[in-house]
Coordinates of all heavy atoms in Angstrom, one line a residue:
M108 N -14.8 9.6 -2.6 CA -13.4 10.0 -2.3 C -12.8 10.5 -3.5 O -12.7 9.9 -4.5 CB -12.7 8.7 -1.8 CG -11.3 9.0 -1.4 SD -10.3 7.6 -1.0 CE -11.3 6.7 0.2
A109 N -12.3 11.8 -3.4 CA -11.6 12.5 -4.5 C -12.5 12.8 -5.7 O -12.0 13.1 -6.7 CB -10.4 11.7 -4.9
R110 N -13.8 12.6 -5.6 CA -14.6 12.9 -6.7 C -14.7 14.4 -6.9 O -15.0 15.1 -5.9 CB -16.0 12.3 -6.6 CG -16.0 10.8 -6.7 CD -17.3 10.2 -6.6 NE -17.2 8.7 -6.9 CZ -17.8 7.8 -6.1 NH1 -18.5 8.1 -5.1 NH2 -17.6 6.5 -6.4
G111 N -14.4 14.9 -8.1 CA -14.4 16.4 -8.3 C -13.1 17.0 -8.0 O -13.0 18.2 -8.1
S112 N -12.0 16.3 -7.7 CA -10.7 16.8 -7.4 C -9.7 15.9 -8.0 O -9.9 14.8 -8.3 CB -10.5 17.1 -5.9 OG -10.4 15.8 -5.2
S113 N -8.4 16.4 -8.1 CA -7.3 15.6 -8.5 C -6.2 15.7 -7.5 O -5.3 16.5 -7.5 CB -6.8 16.2 -9.9 OG -7.7 16.0 -10.8
P114 N -6.2 14.8 -6.5 CA -5.2 14.9 -5.4 C -3.8 14.5 -5.9 O -3.7 13.7 -6.8 CB -5.7 13.8 -4.4 CG -6.6 12.9 -5.2 CD -7.2 13.7 -6.3
D115 N -2.8 15.1 -5.3 CA -1.5 14.8 -5.7 C -0.7 14.1 -4.5 O 0.4 13.8 -4.7 CB -0.7 16.0 -6.3 CG -0.6 17.1 -5.3 OD1 -1.1 17.0 -4.2 OD2 -0.1 18.2 -5.7
A116 N -1.4 14.0 -3.4 CA -0.8 13.3 -2.3 C -1.9 12.5 -1.6 O -3.0 13.1 -1.3 CB -0.2 14.3 -1.3
V117 N -1.6 11.2 -1.3 CA -2.6 10.3 -0.8 C -2.0 9.4 0.2 O -0.9 8.9 0.0 CB -3.3 9.5 -1.9 CG1 -4.2 8.5 -1.3 CG2 -4.0 10.3 -2.9
H118 N -2.6 9.2 1.4 CA -2.2 8.2 2.3 C -3.4 7.5 2.9 O -4.2 8.2 3.6 CB -1.4 8.8 3.5 CG -0.9 7.8 4.5 ND1 -0.7 8.1 5.8 CD2 -0.7 6.4 4.3 CE1 -0.3 7.0 6.4 NE2 -0.3 6.0 5.6
L119 N -3.6 6.3 2.6 CA -4.7 5.5 3.1 C -4.2 4.3 3.9 O -3.2 3.6 3.5 CB -5.5 4.9 1.9 CG -6.0 5.9 0.9 CD1 -6.8 5.2 -0.3 CD2 -6.9 7.0 1.5
A120 N -4.7 4.1 5.1 CA -4.2 3.1 6.0 C -5.2 2.0 6.3 O -6.4 2.3 6.2 CB -3.8 3.8 7.3
E121 N -4.7 0.9 6.6 CA -5.5 -0.3 7.0 C -6.6 -0.6 5.9 O -7.8 -0.8 6.3 CB -6.1 -0.2 8.4 CG -5.0 -0.2 9.4 CD -4.1 -1.4 9.3 OE1 -4.5 -2.5 9.0 OE2 -2.9 -1.3 9.6
L122 N -6.3 -0.6 4.7 CA -7.2 -0.8 3.6 C -7.9 -2.2 3.6 O -9.0 -2.4 3.1 CB -6.5 -0.6 2.2 CG -6.4 0.9 1.9 CD1 -5.4 1.0 0.7 CD2 -7.7 1.5 1.5
S123 N -7.2 -3.2 4.2 CA -7.8 -4.5 4.2 C -9.1 -4.6 5.1 O -9.9 -5.4 4.9 CB -6.8 -5.5 4.8 OG -6.5 -5.3 6.1
S124 N -9.2 -3.6 6.0 CA -10.5 -3.6 6.8 C -11.5 -2.6 6.4 O -12.5 -2.5 7.0 CB -10.1 -3.4 8.3 OG -9.4 -2.1 8.4
W125 N -11.3 -1.9 5.3 CA -12.2 -0.9 4.8 C -13.4 -1.7 4.2 O -13.3 -2.7 3.5 CB -11.6 -0.1 3.7 CG -10.8 1.0 4.2 CD1 -10.0 1.0 5.3 CD2 -10.5 2.3 3.5 NE1 -9.3 2.2 5.4 CE2 -9.6 3.0 4.3 CE3 -11.0 2.8 2.4 CZ2 -9.1 4.2 4.0 CZ3 -10.6 4.1 2.0 CH2 -9.6 4.8 2.8
I126 N -14.6 -1.2 4.4 CA -15.8 -1.7 3.8 C -15.9 -1.1 2.4 O -15.9 0.2 2.3 CB -17.1 -1.4 4.7 CG1 -16.9 -2.2 6.0 CG2 -18.3 -1.9 3.9 CD1 -18.0 -1.8 7.0
D127 N -16.1 -1.9 1.4 CA -16.2 -1.4 0.0 C -15.0 -0.6 -0.5 O -15.1 0.4 -1.1 CB -17.5 -0.6 -0.1 CG -18.0 -0.6 -1.6 OD1 -17.5 -1.4 -2.4 OD2 -18.9 0.2 -1.9
A128 N -13.8 -1.1 -0.1 CA -12.6 -0.4 -0.5 C -12.4 -0.4 -2.1 O -11.9 0.6 -2.6 CB -11.3 -1.1 0.1
A129 N -12.9 -1.4 -2.7 CA -12.8 -1.5 -4.2 C -13.5 -0.3 -4.8 O -13.0 0.3 -5.7 CB -13.3 -2.8 -4.7
D130 N -14.7 0.0 -4.3 CA -15.5 1.1 -4.9 C -14.8 2.5 -4.5 O -14.7 3.3 -5.4 CB -16.9 1.1 -4.4 CG -17.8 2.1 -5.1 OD1 -17.7 2.3 -6.3 OD2 -18.5 2.8 -4.3
L131 N -14.4 2.6 -3.3 CA -13.8 3.9 -2.8 C -12.5 4.2 -3.5 O -12.2 5.3 -4.0 CB -13.7 3.9 -1.3 CG -14.9 3.9 -0.5 CD1 -14.6 3.7 1.0 CD2 -15.7 5.2 -0.7
V132 N -11.6 3.2 -3.5 CA -10.3 3.4 -4.0 C -10.2 3.2 -5.6 O -9.7 4.1 -6.3 CB -9.3 2.4 -3.4 CG1 -7.9 2.6 -3.9 CG2 -9.3 2.6 -1.9
E133 N -10.7 2.1 -6.1 CA -10.5 1.9 -7.5 C -11.5 2.7 -8.4 O -11.1 3.1 -9.5 CB -10.7 0.4 -7.8 CG -9.6 -0.5 -7.3 CD -9.7 -1.9 -7.6 OE1 -10.5 -2.3 -8.5 OE2 -9.1 -2.7 -7.0
A134 N -12.7 2.9 -7.9 CA -13.7 3.6 -8.7 C -13.7 5.1 -8.5 O -14.0 5.8 -9.4 CB -15.1 3.1 -8.4
A135 N -13.2 5.6 -7.3 CA -13.3 7.0 -7.1 C -11.9 7.6 -7.0 O -11.7 8.6 -7.7 CB -14.1 7.2 -5.8
L136 N -11.0 7.1 -6.2 CA -9.7 7.8 -6.0 C -8.7 7.6 -7.1 O -8.3 8.6 -7.7 CB -9.1 7.2 -4.7 CG -7.7 7.8 -4.3 CD1 -7.9 9.3 -4.1 CD2 -7.1 7.2 -3.2
L137 N -8.4 6.4 -7.5 CA -7.4 6.2 -8.5 C -7.6 6.8 -9.8 O -6.7 7.4 -10.4 CB -7.1 4.7 -8.7 CG -6.5 4.0 -7.4 CD1 -6.2 2.5 -7.7 CD2 -5.2 4.7 -7.0
P138 N -8.9 6.8 -10.3 CA -9.1 7.5 -11.6 C -9.0 9.0 -11.5 O -8.7 9.7 -12.5 CB -10.6 7.2 -12.0 CG -10.8 5.9 -11.2 CD -10.0 6.0 -10.0
A139 N -9.1 9.6 -10.3 CA -8.9 11.0 -10.1 C -7.5 11.5 -10.0 O -7.2 12.7 -10.1 CB -9.7 11.4 -8.8
I140 N -6.6 10.6 -9.8 CA -5.2 10.9 -9.6 C -4.5 11.0 -11.0 O -4.6 10.1 -11.8 CB -4.4 9.9 -8.8 CG1 -5.0 9.9 -7.3 CG2 -2.9 10.2 -8.7 CD1 -4.4 8.8 -6.5
I141 N -3.9 12.1 -11.3 CA -3.2 12.4 -12.5 C -1.7 12.0 -12.3 O -1.1 12.5 -11.4 CB -3.3 13.8 -13.0 CG1 -4.8 14.1 -13.2 CG2 -2.5 14.1 -14.2 CD1 -5.1 15.6 -13.4
D142 N -1.2 11.1 -13.1 CA 0.2 10.7 -13.0 C 1.1 11.8 -13.4 O 1.2 12.2 -14.5 CB 0.5 9.5 -13.8 CG -0.2 8.2 -13.3 OD1 -0.5 8.2 -12.1 OD2 -0.5 7.3 -14.1
T143 N 1.9 12.4 -12.4 CA 2.9 13.4 -12.6 C 4.1 13.0 -11.7 O 3.9 12.3 -10.8 CB 2.4 14.8 -12.3 OG1 2.3 14.9 -10.9 CG2 1.1 15.1 -13.0
P144 N 5.2 13.6 -12.0 CA 6.4 13.4 -11.1 C 6.1 13.9 -9.7 O 6.8 13.5 -8.7 CB 7.5 14.2 -11.8 CG 7.1 14.3 -13.2 CD 5.6 14.4 -13.2
N145 N 5.2 14.8 -9.5 CA 4.9 15.3 -8.2 C 3.8 14.6 -7.4 O 3.4 14.9 -6.3 CB 4.5 16.8 -8.3 CG 5.6 17.6 -8.8 OD1 6.8 17.4 -8.5 ND2 5.2 18.6 -9.6
T146 N 3.3 13.5 -8.0 CA 2.2 12.7 -7.3 C 2.9 11.7 -6.4 O 3.8 11.0 -6.7 CB 1.4 12.0 -8.4 OG1 0.8 12.9 -9.3 CG2 0.3 11.2 -7.7
F147 N 2.3 11.6 -5.2 CA 2.9 10.7 -4.2 C 1.7 10.1 -3.4 O 0.8 10.8 -3.0 CB 3.8 11.4 -3.2 CG 4.4 10.5 -2.2 CD1 5.4 9.6 -2.5 CD2 3.9 10.4 -0.9 CE1 6.0 8.8 -1.6 CE2 4.5 9.6 0.0 CZ 5.5 8.7 -0.3
G148 N 1.7 8.8 -3.3 CA 0.6 8.1 -2.6 C 1.1 6.9 -1.9 O 2.0 6.2 -2.3
I149 N 0.5 6.6 -0.8 CA 0.7 5.4 0.0 C -0.6 4.7 0.3 O -1.5 5.3 0.8 CB 1.4 5.7 1.3 CG1 2.8 6.4 1.1 CG2 1.6 4.4 2.2 CD1 3.5 6.8 2.3
L150 N -0.7 3.5 -0.1 CA -1.8 2.6 0.2 C -1.2 1.5 1.1 O -0.4 0.8 0.7 CB -2.5 2.0 -1.0 CG -2.9 2.9 -2.1 CD1 -3.5 2.2 -3.3 CD2 -3.9 4.0 -1.6
E151 N -1.6 1.5 2.4 CA -1.0 0.5 3.3 C -2.0 -0.2 4.1 O -3.1 0.3 4.3 CB 0.1 1.2 4.2 CG -0.5 2.4 4.9 CD -0.4 2.3 6.4 OE1 -0.3 1.2 6.9 OE2 -0.5 3.3 7.0
S152 N -1.6 -1.4 4.5 CA -2.4 -2.2 5.3 C -1.7 -3.4 5.8 O -0.7 -3.8 5.3 CB -3.6 -2.7 4.5 OG -4.6 -3.3 5.4
T153 N -2.2 -4.0 6.9 CA -1.7 -5.3 7.3 C -2.6 -6.3 6.6 O -3.7 -6.0 6.1 CB -1.9 -5.5 8.8 OG1 -3.3 -5.2 9.2 CG2 -1.0 -4.6 9.6
A154 N -2.1 -7.5 6.5 CA -2.9 -8.6 5.9 C -4.2 -8.9 6.7 O -4.2 -8.8 7.9 CB -2.1 -9.8 5.7
L155 N -5.2 -9.2 6.0 CA -6.4 -9.7 6.6 C -7.0 -10.9 5.8 O -8.1 -10.8 5.3 CB -7.5 -8.5 6.7 CG -8.7 -8.7 7.5 CD1 -8.3 -8.9 9.0 CD2 -9.6 -7.6 7.4
G156 N -6.2 -11.9 5.7 CA -6.6 -13.1 5.0 C -6.2 -13.0 3.5 O -5.5 -12.1 3.0
M157 N -6.6 -14.1 2.8 CA -6.3 -14.2 1.4 C -7.6 -14.2 0.6 O -8.6 -14.5 1.1 CB -5.5 -15.5 1.1 CG -4.2 -15.6 1.8 SD -3.4 -17.2 1.7 CE -3.1 -17.3 -0.1
G158 N -7.4 -13.7 -0.7 CA -8.6 -13.7 -1.6 C -9.5 -12.5 -1.4 O -10.5 -12.4 -2.1
N159 N -9.2 -11.6 -0.5 CA -10.0 -10.4 -0.4 C -9.4 -9.3 -1.3 O -8.4 -9.5 -2.0 CB -10.0 -9.9 1.1 CG -8.6 -9.7 1.6 OD1 -7.7 -9.3 0.9 ND2 -8.4 -9.9 2.9
W160 N -10.1 -8.1 -1.3 CA -9.7 -7.0 -2.2 C -8.2 -6.6 -2.0 O -7.5 -6.4 -3.0 CB -10.6 -5.8 -2.1 CG -10.2 -4.7 -2.9 CD1 -10.4 -4.5 -4.2 CD2 -9.4 -3.6 -2.5 NE1 -9.8 -3.4 -4.7 CE2 -9.2 -2.8 -3.6 CE3 -8.8 -3.2 -1.3 CZ2 -8.4 -1.6 -3.6 CZ3 -8.0 -2.1 -1.2 CH2 -7.8 -1.3 -2.4
W161 N -7.8 -6.4 -0.8 CA -6.5 -6.0 -0.5 C -5.4 -7.0 -1.1 O -4.5 -6.7 -1.7 CB -6.2 -5.7 0.9 CG -4.9 -5.3 1.3 CD1 -3.9 -6.0 2.0 CD2 -4.2 -4.1 0.9 NE1 -2.7 -5.3 2.0 CE2 -2.9 -4.1 1.4 CE3 -4.6 -3.0 0.1 CZ2 -2.0 -3.1 1.2 CZ3 -3.7 -1.9 -0.1 CH2 -2.4 -2.0 0.4
H162 N -5.7 -8.3 -0.8 CA -4.7 -9.3 -1.2 C -4.7 -9.4 -2.7 O -3.6 -9.5 -3.3 CB -5.2 -10.7 -0.6 CG -4.3 -11.8 -1.0 ND1 -4.7 -12.9 -1.8 CD2 -3.0 -12.0 -0.8 CE1 -3.8 -13.7 -2.0 NE2 -2.7 -13.2 -1.4
N163 N -5.8 -9.3 -3.4 CA -5.9 -9.4 -4.8 C -5.2 -8.2 -5.5 O -4.5 -8.3 -6.5 CB -7.3 -9.5 -5.3 CG -7.9 -10.9 -4.9 OD1 -7.2 -11.9 -4.7 ND2 -9.2 -10.9 -4.8
T164 N -5.4 -7.0 -4.9 CA -4.8 -5.8 -5.4 C -3.3 -5.9 -5.3 O -2.5 -5.5 -6.2 CB -5.3 -4.6 -4.6 OG1 -6.7 -4.5 -4.8 CG2 -4.7 -3.3 -5.1
W165 N -2.8 -6.4 -4.1 CA -1.3 -6.6 -3.9 C -0.8 -7.5 -5.0 O 0.2 -7.2 -5.7 CB -1.1 -7.2 -2.6 CG 0.3 -7.7 -2.4 CD1 0.7 -9.0 -2.5 CD2 1.5 -6.9 -2.3 NE1 2.1 -9.1 -2.4 CE2 2.6 -7.8 -2.3 CE3 1.8 -5.6 -2.2 CZ2 3.9 -7.4 -2.1 CZ3 3.1 -5.2 -2.0 CH2 4.2 -6.1 -2.0
L166 N -1.4 -8.7 -5.2 CA -0.9 -9.7 -6.2 C -0.9 -9.1 -7.6 O 0.0 -9.3 -8.4 CB -1.8 -10.9 -6.1 CG -1.7 -11.8 -4.9 CD1 -2.7 -12.9 -4.9 CD2 -0.3 -12.2 -4.7
Q167 N -2.0 -8.3 -7.9 CA -2.1 -7.8 -9.3 C -1.0 -6.7 -9.5 O -0.3 -6.7 -10.5 CB -3.4 -7.1 -9.5 CG -3.5 -6.4 -10.8 CD -4.8 -5.6 -11.0 OE1 -5.7 -5.7 -10.2 NE2 -4.9 -4.9 -12.1
N168 N -0.7 -5.9 -8.5 CA 0.3 -4.9 -8.7 C 1.7 -5.5 -8.7 O 2.6 -5.0 -9.4 CB 0.2 -3.8 -7.6 CG -0.9 -2.8 -8.0 OD1 -0.8 -2.1 -9.0 ND2 -2.0 -2.8 -7.2
K169 N 1.9 -6.5 -7.9 CA 3.2 -7.2 -7.9 C 3.5 -7.8 -9.3 O 4.6 -7.7 -9.8 CB 3.2 -8.3 -6.8 CG 4.5 -9.0 -6.7 CD 4.4 -10.1 -5.5 CE 5.6 -10.9 -5.5 NZ 5.5 -12.0 -4.5
R170 N 2.5 -8.5 -9.8 CA 2.6 -9.1 -11.2 C 2.8 -8.0 -12.2 O 3.7 -8.1 -13.1 CB 1.4 -9.9 -11.5 CG 1.4 -10.6 -12.8 CD 0.1 -11.3 -13.1 NE -1.0 -10.3 -13.2 CZ -2.1 -10.3 -12.4 NH1 -2.2 -11.2 -11.4 NH2 -3.1 -9.4 -12.5
D171 N 1.9 -7.0 -12.2 CA 2.0 -5.9 -13.2 C 3.2 -5.1 -13.1 O 3.7 -4.6 -14.1 CB 0.7 -5.0 -13.1 CG -0.5 -5.8 -13.6 OD1 -0.4 -6.9 -14.1 OD2 -1.6 -5.2 -13.3
F172 N 3.8 -4.9 -11.9 CA 5.0 -4.0 -11.8 C 6.2 -4.7 -12.5 O 7.0 -4.1 -13.1 CB 5.3 -3.8 -10.3 CG 6.4 -2.8 -10.1 CD1 6.1 -1.4 -10.3 CD2 7.7 -3.2 -9.9 CE1 7.1 -0.5 -10.2 CE2 8.7 -2.2 -9.8 CZ 8.4 -0.9 -9.9
A173 N 6.2 -6.0 -12.3 CA 7.3 -6.8 -13.0 C 7.2 -6.7 -14.5 O 8.2 -6.7 -15.2 CB 7.3 -8.3 -12.6
R174 N 6.0 -6.5 -15.0 CA 5.8 -6.4 -16.5 C 5.9 -4.9 -16.9 O 5.9 -4.6 -18.1 CB 4.4 -6.8 -16.8 CG 4.1 -8.3 -16.6 CD 2.7 -8.6 -16.9 NE 2.4 -10.0 -16.6 CZ 1.2 -10.4 -16.4 NH1 0.1 -9.7 -16.5 NH2 1.0 -11.7 -16.2
G175 N 6.0 -4.0 -16.0 CA 6.1 -2.6 -16.3 C 4.8 -1.9 -16.6 O 4.7 -0.8 -17.2
T176 N 3.7 -2.5 -16.1 CA 2.3 -2.0 -16.4 C 1.6 -1.6 -15.2 O 0.4 -1.2 -15.3 CB 1.5 -3.0 -17.2 OG1 1.4 -4.2 -16.4 CG2 2.1 -3.4 -18.5
A177 N 2.1 -1.6 -14.0 CA 1.4 -1.2 -12.8 C 1.5 0.3 -12.6 O 2.5 0.9 -12.8 CB 2.0 -1.9 -11.6
R178 N 0.4 0.9 -12.1 CA 0.4 2.3 -11.6 C 0.9 2.4 -10.2 O 1.3 3.4 -9.8 CB -1.0 2.8 -11.7 CG -1.5 3.2 -13.0 CD -2.8 3.9 -12.9 NE -2.7 5.2 -12.4 CZ -3.6 6.0 -11.9 NH1 -4.9 5.5 -11.9 NH2 -3.4 7.2 -11.5
I179 N 0.9 1.3 -9.5 CA 1.3 1.3 -8.1 C 2.5 0.3 -7.9 O 2.5 -0.8 -8.4 CB 0.1 0.8 -7.2 CG1 -1.1 1.8 -7.3 CG2 0.5 0.7 -5.7 CD1 -2.3 1.3 -6.7
R180 N 3.5 0.8 -7.2 CA 4.7 0.0 -6.9 C 4.5 -0.7 -5.6 O 4.3 -0.1 -4.5 CB 5.9 0.9 -6.8 CG 7.1 0.0 -6.5 CD 8.4 0.8 -6.4 NE 9.5 -0.1 -6.3 CZ 10.6 0.1 -6.9 NH1 10.8 1.1 -7.7 NH2 11.6 -0.8 -6.8
P181 N 4.4 -2.1 -5.7 CA 4.2 -2.8 -4.4 C 5.5 -3.0 -3.6 O 6.5 -3.3 -4.2 CB 3.7 -4.2 -4.9 CG 4.3 -4.3 -6.3 CD 4.4 -2.9 -6.8
I182 N 5.4 -2.6 -2.4 CA 6.6 -2.8 -1.5 C 6.1 -3.5 -0.2 O 5.1 -3.0 0.4 CB 7.2 -1.4 -1.1 CG1 7.7 -0.7 -2.4 CG2 8.3 -1.6 -0.1 CD1 8.1 0.7 -2.1
F183 N 6.8 -4.5 0.2 CA 6.4 -5.2 1.4 C 7.5 -4.9 2.5 O 8.7 -5.1 2.2 CB 6.4 -6.7 1.2 CG 6.1 -7.5 2.4 CD1 4.9 -7.5 3.0 CD2 7.1 -8.2 3.0 CE1 4.6 -8.2 4.2 CE2 6.9 -9.0 4.2 CZ 5.7 -8.9 4.8
L184 N 7.0 -4.4 3.6 CA 7.9 -4.0 4.7 C 7.5 -4.9 5.9 O 6.5 -4.7 6.5 CB 7.8 -2.6 5.1 CG 8.2 -1.6 4.0 CD1 7.9 -0.2 4.4 CD2 9.7 -1.7 3.6
P185 N 8.3 -5.9 6.2 CA 7.9 -6.8 7.3 C 8.1 -6.0 8.6 O 8.8 -5.1 8.7 CB 8.9 -8.0 7.2 CG 10.0 -7.5 6.4 CD 9.5 -6.4 5.5
W186 N 7.4 -6.5 9.6 CA 7.3 -5.8 10.9 C 8.7 -5.6 11.5 O 8.9 -4.6 12.2 CB 6.4 -6.6 11.9 CG 6.9 -8.0 12.2 CD1 6.6 -9.1 11.5 CD2 7.9 -8.4 13.2 NE1 7.2 -10.2 12.0 CE2 8.0 -9.8 13.0 CE3 8.6 -7.7 14.2 CZ2 8.9 -10.5 13.9 CZ3 9.4 -8.5 15.0 CH2 9.6 -9.8 14.8
Y187 N 9.6 -6.5 11.3 CA 10.9 -6.4 11.9 C 11.9 -5.3 11.4 O 12.9 -5.1 11.9 CB 11.6 -7.7 12.0 CG 11.8 -8.4 10.6 CD1 12.8 -8.1 9.7 CD2 10.9 -9.4 10.2 CE1 12.9 -8.7 8.5 CE2 11.0 -10.0 9.0 CZ 12.0 -9.6 8.2 OH 12.1 -10.3 6.9
V188 N 11.4 -4.6 10.3 CA 12.3 -3.5 9.8 C 11.9 -2.2 10.5 O 12.6 -1.2 10.2 CB 12.2 -3.4 8.3 CG1 12.6 -4.6 7.6 CG2 10.8 -3.0 7.8
G189 N 10.9 -2.2 11.3 CA 10.6 -1.0 12.1 C 11.6 -0.6 13.1 O 11.9 -1.3 14.0
T190 N 12.4 0.5 12.8 CA 13.5 0.8 13.7 C 13.0 1.4 15.0 O 13.8 1.6 16.0 CB 14.4 1.9 13.0 OG1 13.6 3.0 12.7 CG2 15.1 1.3 11.8
D191 N 11.7 1.7 15.1 CA 11.2 2.2 16.4 C 11.0 1.0 17.4 O 10.9 1.2 18.6 CB 9.8 2.9 16.2 CG 8.8 2.0 15.6 OD1 9.1 1.2 14.7 OD2 7.6 2.2 15.9
I192 N 11.0 -0.2 16.9 CA 10.9 -1.4 17.8 C 12.2 -2.2 17.8 O 12.7 -2.6 18.8 CB 9.8 -2.3 17.3 CG1 8.4 -1.5 17.2 CG2 9.6 -3.6 18.1 CD1 7.3 -2.3 16.6
Y193 N 12.8 -2.4 16.6 CA 14.0 -3.2 16.5 C 15.0 -2.4 15.7 O 14.7 -1.7 14.8 CB 13.7 -4.5 15.7 CG 12.7 -5.4 16.5 CD1 11.4 -5.4 16.1 CD2 13.2 -6.2 17.5 CE1 10.5 -6.2 16.8 CE2 12.3 -7.0 18.2 CZ 11.0 -7.0 17.8 OH 10.1 -7.8 18.5
P194 N 16.3 -2.5 16.0 CA 16.9 -3.3 17.0 C 16.7 -2.6 18.4 O 16.6 -1.4 18.4 CB 18.3 -3.4 16.6 CG 18.6 -2.2 15.8 CD 17.3 -1.9 15.1
T195 N 16.6 -3.4 19.4 CA 16.5 -2.9 20.7 C 17.9 -2.3 21.2 O 18.9 -2.7 20.6 CB 16.1 -4.0 21.7 OG1 17.2 -5.0 21.8 CG2 14.8 -4.7 21.3
P196 N 17.9 -1.5 22.2 CA 19.2 -1.0 22.7 C 20.2 -2.1 23.0 O 21.4 -2.0 22.8 CB 18.8 -0.2 23.9 CG 17.4 0.3 23.6 CD 16.8 -0.9 22.9
T197 N 19.7 -3.2 23.6 CA 20.5 -4.4 23.9 C 21.1 -5.0 22.6 O 22.3 -5.3 22.6 CB 19.7 -5.5 24.6 OG1 19.1 -4.9 25.8 CG2 20.6 -6.7 25.0
D198 N 20.3 -5.1 21.6 CA 20.8 -5.6 20.3 C 21.9 -4.7 19.7 O 22.9 -5.2 19.2 CB 19.7 -5.8 19.3 CG 18.7 -6.8 19.6 OD1 19.0 -7.8 20.3 OD2 17.5 -6.7 19.2
L199 N 21.7 -3.4 19.9 CA 22.7 -2.5 19.3 C 24.1 -2.6 20.1 O 25.1 -2.4 19.5 CB 22.2 -1.1 19.4 CG 21.1 -0.8 18.4 CD1 20.5 0.6 18.6 CD2 21.6 -0.9 17.0
R200 N 24.0 -2.9 21.4 CA 25.2 -3.0 22.2 C 26.0 -4.3 21.9 O 27.2 -4.4 22.2 CB 24.9 -2.9 23.7 CG 24.6 -1.5 24.2 CD 24.5 -1.5 25.7 NE 23.6 -2.3 26.3 CZ 22.3 -2.0 26.5 NH1 21.8 -0.9 26.2 NH2 21.5 -2.9 27.1
K201 N 25.3 -5.3 21.4 CA 26.0 -6.6 21.1 C 27.0 -6.5 20.1 O 27.3 -6.2 19.2 CB 24.9 -7.6 20.6 CG 24.0 -8.1 21.8 CD 23.1 -9.1 21.2 CE 22.1 -9.6 22.3 NZ 21.1 -10.5 21.8

């Protein structure tokens, strides 16, 4: 993934269920991305347990972002902030 190129836009979904995501993302994709103001990427997934690559990556970026050393900004969006589902028309009329 991204070997031989320098992508400036990335969107990867459901990373917790990828087989060998550590090799694909950490070893191939992230080193190929050049940090510029025009670079934009989204790595997203639902949780798939604890102690797996996705969970560990989230924890590391959460810790490193607070220290100012993370390349990735961790953002958690719970399911209930999806405006396509909530609030319902009934909730809005209340």
Side-chain angles (χ1 to χ4, degrees):
M108 180 184 313
R110 290 184 175 134
S112 66
S113 297
D115 57 3
V117 175
H118 179 208
L119 306 177
E121 293 307 325
L122 282 164
S123 65
S124 61
W125 283 30
I126 297 171
D127 205 11
D130 185 44
L131 292 171
V132 177
E133 289 182 20
L136 179 63
L137 293 181
I140 296 174
I141 299 170
D142 290 334
T143 71
N145 296 327
T146 302
F147 182 77
I149 297 174
L150 308 179
E151 54 122 337
S152 189
T153 54
L155 192 61
M157 296 174 66
N159 56 32
W160 176 82
W161 179 249
H162 180 242
N163 293 335
T164 299
W165 166 260
L166 292 176
Q167 177 185 355
N168 282 294
K169 183 178 174 187
R170 180 185 64 242
D171 291 349
F172 189 80
R174 296 176 183 161
T176 59
R178 285 187 70 196
I179 299 171
R180 180 182 186 133
I182 299 173
F183 176 71
L184 299 173
W186 59 270
Y187 53 81
V188 300
T190 58
D191 58 328
I192 301 172
Y193 297 99
T195 66
T197 303
D198 292 334
L199 291 173
R200 284 192 302 272
K201 287 181 183 178

